[in-house]
Amino acid sequence: MANPLPGTRALRTLEAAARHLNFTRAADELGLTPAAVSHQIKEIEDQLGLALFTRTSRTMRLTPAGEIVFEAAIDALDLLGRAVMRARKMTRGTALLKVTLDAQFAAKWLMRRVEDFRKQKPGIELSFDIAYGLRDFDRDDVDVGIRFGAGNYPGLCAHRLFDNIIIPVCSPALLASGPPLSEPRDLFHHTLAHIEWARQGVTWPNWRMWMAAAGVDDFDDSRTIVFGTSTDAVQAAVDGNAVALADFAMVANDLSEGRLVRPFELSIRVAPEFAYFLVYPQAMADDPRVAGFRDWILEEVARTASADQV
């Protein structure tokens, strides 16, 4: 009879030990003691009849056989993880749709419209995964995603949602009682807020860029405040503490509901390849939940875009 193969727990121990080439670091990752890791590796080697590691007083490395088994362990764990996730999605019912998206898009756009979705699509229950990191549709329990990027998503259907149109915004109170804002140079008398972001040679518009577009070539950015997220920059504007540069789509509701106003109509567009995209696996394109959410969100995006007069 052939030797039995190691179980899933043993494979995880082997994978961690081989990746770190250090039993102590593997033990920390797995929540075990180094002695327990060493014991499990010895059991695997005895079970397979193979030496997987060579050890000296200072170093550890994989044997040729260990390299083969390590690669196989990675593949086996990955395959099993994907299969389990597919099985979980199959058994959690046909009504639930899990959407992954970042906190800004959730707070400033989608959550304001969820009730409308529920009225239009009563048979679909939405659940949200709020995260800035990308998810793996095969490994993570999500069905569709909304992500900001360049639209290069191999194996996925991708629908462009918004062009990023950057506009100045401030609170009505600041516009009414602060230093007048009749021309761009009047902004010199206000605190100005923007975010700092760059990727693949593309820089998110800042106040220096906006001033250049407005024909102001002697702008001093010493009065600007740089925020880590657009949400924080917009909140500073809502609170009356600054004039902020913001993405029109993300402040459309604040504008229509009077929390923000546009002191100037001049806008700057982000490089066209970057935008928010709705993405999902190609195999899910005909799933009624995905199709319902896709059709609804594209209609809502069209409504938001029609409100933009820039």
Side-chain angles (χ1 to χ4, degrees):
M1 176 180 280
N3 291 335
L5 296 175
T8 303
R9 183 175 299 176
L11 288 178
R12 293 191 185 282
T13 301
L14 170 62
E15 187 277 334
R19 176 161 37 86
H20 290 291
L21 290 177
N22 183 290
F23 286 172
T24 299
R25 288 199 291 270
D28 289 342
E29 179 180 311
L30 297 169
L32 301 173
T33 65
V37 171
S38 179
H39 179 71
Q40 286 192 33
I41 295 300
K42 182 64 166 60
E43 283 190 336
I44 295 170
E45 291 179 323
D46 291 345
Q47 186 178 12
L48 297 177
L50 296 169
L52 304 179
F53 295 86
T54 59
R55 309 166 183 82
T56 69
S57 60
R58 294 185 177 181
T59 63
M60 174 185 296
R61 63 184 178 84
L62 288 165
T63 65
E67 293 278 3
I68 294 172
V69 176
F70 173 44
E71 292 177 5
I74 294 173
D75 292 341
L77 291 170
D78 182 67
L79 181 62
L80 181 60
R82 293 176 187 273
V84 168
M85 187 50 62
R86 289 199 301 272
R88 285 176 176 168
K89 288 181 180 181
M90 288 177 59
T91 58
R92 63 170 157 81
T94 58
L96 182 62
L97 183 74
K98 291 196 173 183
V99 183
T100 179
L101 70 166
D102 66 46
Q104 176 181 319
F105 194 96
K108 303 303 292 184
W109 197 87
L110 184 62
M111 299 309 294
R112 299 169 182 264
R113 294 166 170 80
V114 167
E115 190 58 35
D116 177 75
F117 175 84
R118 289 173 176 158
K119 290 177 181 178
Q120 292 194 36
K121 309 290 183 180
I124 303 174
E125 178 185 352
L126 293 182
S127 175
F128 301 103
D129 168 63
I130 308 299
Y132 283 101
L134 296 179
R135 299 304 195 199
D136 183 333
F137 287 106
D138 289 334
R139 295 298 302 271
D140 298 312
D141 192 14
V142 295
D143 300 305
V144 300
I146 299 171
R147 283 293 180 258
F148 184 80
N152 182 23
Y153 303 103
L156 302 178
C157 296
H159 302 272
R160 187 186 186 91
L161 298 182
F162 298 110
D163 291 324
N164 297 105
I165 301 170
I166 310 306
I167 62 172
V169 294
C170 66
S171 71
L174 183 146
L175 188 64
S177 60
L181 287 172
S182 301
E183 59 180 49
R185 297 182 68 86
D186 292 337
L187 288 164
F188 289 10
H189 304 295
H190 290 267
T191 299
L192 306 179
H194 65 261
I195 65 168
E196 195 170 82
W197 180 93
R199 188 180 300 171
Q200 299 178 21
V202 174
T203 300
W204 194 266
N206 54 37
W207 276 109
R208 183 171 293 281
M209 296 166 64
W210 190 91
M211 288 292 183
V216 178
D217 56 10
D218 59 343
F219 174 63
D220 177 7
D221 59 8
S222 63
R223 292 182 62 85
T224 62
I225 298 176
V226 178
F227 285 94
T229 69
S230 295
T231 301
D232 292 334
V234 170
Q235 190 60 50
V238 171
D239 293 342
N241 297 323
V243 182
L245 287 178
D247 186 340
F248 173 81
M250 296 299 103
V251 296
N253 284 91
D254 293 309
L255 291 168
S256 65
E257 295 169 8
R259 285 182 293 276
L260 290 172
V261 294
R262 295 177 64 172
F264 301 101
E265 291 298 313
L266 177 65
S267 64
I268 303 178
R269 293 178 182 265
V270 179
E273 63 267 29
F274 283 93
Y276 273 104
F277 288 85
L278 172 69
V279 297
Y280 50 85
Q282 293 175 352
M284 296 282 288
D286 295 327
D287 184 294
R289 299 165 303 158
V290 173
F293 184 75
R294 176 191 62 219
D295 295 345
W296 171 82
I297 198 170
L298 292 179
E299 289 177 2
E300 288 297 311
V301 164
R303 290 192 185 94
T304 300
S306 68
D308 171 24
Q309 302 298 317
V310 298

